[in-house]
Amino acid sequence: MSDQVNGELVPVGGGDAIPLIREVLVIGRRPTCDICLPFQDISGRHCQLMFRSGYWFIRDLNSTNGVKVNGNRIQEKLLHPKDEVSIGRRRRYIIQYAIPSDHRQALEEQPEEDILAQTLLQRAGLEKPPRTKGGRPPGKGEPSDFVVRGSAFPPEDDEDD
């Protein structure tokens, strides 16, 4: 374990910066957490910060009020310098750290998963996503699906009266 500062969390709106001195830090309401935030909207063990290969990552530890990075709710995400991290409903921080200059290979960030795109039953594999005609998910129909067949209006007469 090292006491080298690898960055800091700076509260949005002012306040003392929180130095990030360990490679793994747990943030939560419990006094045993590495970073204790004693607020009602923070879970006992809310999230975890991890320093790997010169980059900070954040992981939600199944908190009630979630973790957002730049306004998007996440489960786990690579943090870039100056990203805004929201913990709970109102705690916002800017992460500041220096990316190593000798780092030759850029980390590939996995695409973010939209955790709200599926129901809990679908995520648990207990329910299949809804399908429509042709096996397409809802909203992905063919253009011909939208052509009006038949008409509610009577046919027009071509005769001139």
Side-chain angles (χ1 to χ4, degrees), residues 78-146:
L78 165 69
L79 295 173
H80 299 285
K82 300 192 182 190
D83 275 350
E84 182 178 285
V85 177
S86 299
I87 302 169
R89 292 189 199 123
R90 295 181 210 83
R91 315 292 168 226
R92 296 183 337 188
Y93 300 89
I94 301 294
I95 186 161
Q96 294 183 347
Y97 71 98
I99 295 175
S101 59
D102 62 342
H103 200 272
R104 294 183 190 128
Q105 182 180 5
L107 288 179
E108 293 288 324
E109 185 174 357
Q110 298 201 359
E112 288 185 29
E113 178 186 2
D114 183 4
I115 62 171
L116 300 177
Q118 295 179 313
T119 67
L120 289 175
L121 290 173
Q122 290 169 351
R123 289 181 60 84
L126 300 173
E127 183 179 89
K128 292 183 180 179
R131 292 287 192 195
T132 61
K133 180 173 83 173
R136 288 181 174 73
K140 304 290 185 196
E142 291 290 325
S144 62
D145 293 343
F146 303 102

Side-chain angles (χ1 to χ4, degrees), residues 51-73:
F51 191 68
R52 295 187 296 224
S53 303
Y55 293 89
W56 281 102
F57 292 81
I58 192 164
R59 176 186 302 148
D60 190 340
L61 297 175
N62 298 318
S63 64
T64 302
N65 293 313
V67 176
K68 292 182 180 179
V69 175
N70 299 324
N72 298 313
R73 191 162 179 166

